Amino acid sequence: MSATYPMDMVRGRITVQTESSPYQYRGMFHALSTVLREEGPRALYKGWLPSVIGVIPYVGLNFSVYESLKDWLIKSRPFGLVEDSELSVTTRLACGAAAGTVGQTVAYPLDVIRRRMQMVGWKDAASVVSGDGRNKASLEYTGMIDAFRKTVRHEGFGALYKGLVPNSVKVSVF
C-alpha cells in the first residue's frame, strides 16, 4: 500500500483536474514529478494514515459479515438457498456483496478524508462553500483529525458519506 500510494494520490488529482486546475498534468509521471517539485515528497503521502486505518474496519467487517451470513444461511436454510450444507455461487456472491457494503459503509468516512487530504495544496481543490452559498473558503488540514473536524464543521456529518451510493454499487458489483 505504501509503495503504490503516490500513484493513487496522483490518480485522484488527474481525475479531478479541469482546464482551470492549478496544474495541467499530462500523465502519471508528469504529475508525480510536478507534485514532488512543487509540494515535496510528503505531498505524495497526504491521506496515507486514514487509508491505512480504513483497511482495518473494512477487512475485519468484510470477513466477519461474510462468514456470519454464510454460517447463518447454512444453519437456518432460509428460502431453499442451501443444498447439502453448501451455498450456491450466487448466494456466496450475494454474501460477499453484502459484506463488502457493510465494510465499505463503516470505513467510507476515512476514504473521504483521505481524498480531501490528497487535494490539499492544490489551489482551490480543498475548499467549501461558505454559509451564504456564494463564497468559497479555502481549507488546509494539519492532519487527519483536523480534516475530520473541518469537514463536519463546515459541511455537516453527511459530508463524510458523500459518494457512498455509487461507491457501494461499485463494491457490490465488482
Side-chain angles (χ1 to χ4, degrees):
M1 185 174 186
S2 294
T4 61
Y5 192 81
M7 288 178 273
D8 183 56
M9 189 279 235
V10 164
R11 178 186 60 93
R13 292 228 182 146
I14 290 171
T15 301
V16 300
Q17 84 177 355
T18 65
E19 289 179 11
S20 61
S21 294
Y23 300 109
Q24 294 299 309
Y25 302 124
R26 295 186 302 268
M28 182 180 70
F29 293 112
H30 179 252
L32 281 168
S33 64
T34 302
V35 170
L36 274 171
R37 185 178 60 254
E38 300 292 326
E39 300 175 52
R42 287 187 62 171
L44 294 174
Y45 288 91
K46 286 181 179 175
W48 179 83
L49 184 60
S51 239
V52 170
I53 292 171
V55 168
I56 296 166
Y58 176 74
V59 172
L61 282 170
N62 202 350
F63 282 122
S64 63
V65 170
Y66 178 81
E67 290 300 323
S68 296
L69 274 173
K70 192 175 83 170
D71 291 346
W72 177 76
L73 288 170
I74 289 171
K75 288 176 186 171
S76 64
R77 300 179 176 265
F79 317 113
L81 295 173
V82 180
E83 296 174 16
D84 300 326
S85 297
E86 284 293 318
L87 299 177
S88 69
V89 172
T90 307
T91 303
R92 283 185 277 149
L93 285 172
C95 288
T101 300
V102 169
Q104 184 60 39
T105 300
V106 171
Y108 196 74
L110 289 158
D111 195 48
V112 169
I113 294 304
R114 172 184 66 90
R115 291 186 192 283
R116 286 176 180 230
M117 290 176 73
Q118 287 176 338
M119 295 301 124
V120 169
W122 212 33
K123 187 176 178 282
D124 296 329
S127 62
V128 295
V129 177
S130 63
D132 63 6
R134 289 177 232 194
N135 300 321
K136 284 192 170 185
S138 183
L139 287 180
E140 291 291 326
Y141 306 122
T142 59
M144 181 180 73
I145 301 297
D146 185 50
F148 268 108
R149 282 184 185 137
K150 287 179 178 172
T151 298
V152 172
R153 181 182 328 129
H154 291 288
E155 300 174 68
F157 187 76
L160 296 174
Y161 289 92
K162 283 183 175 178
L164 177 65
V165 172
N167 198 68
S168 294
V169 170
K170 178 186 83 170
V171 168
S172 296
V173 175
F174 300 107

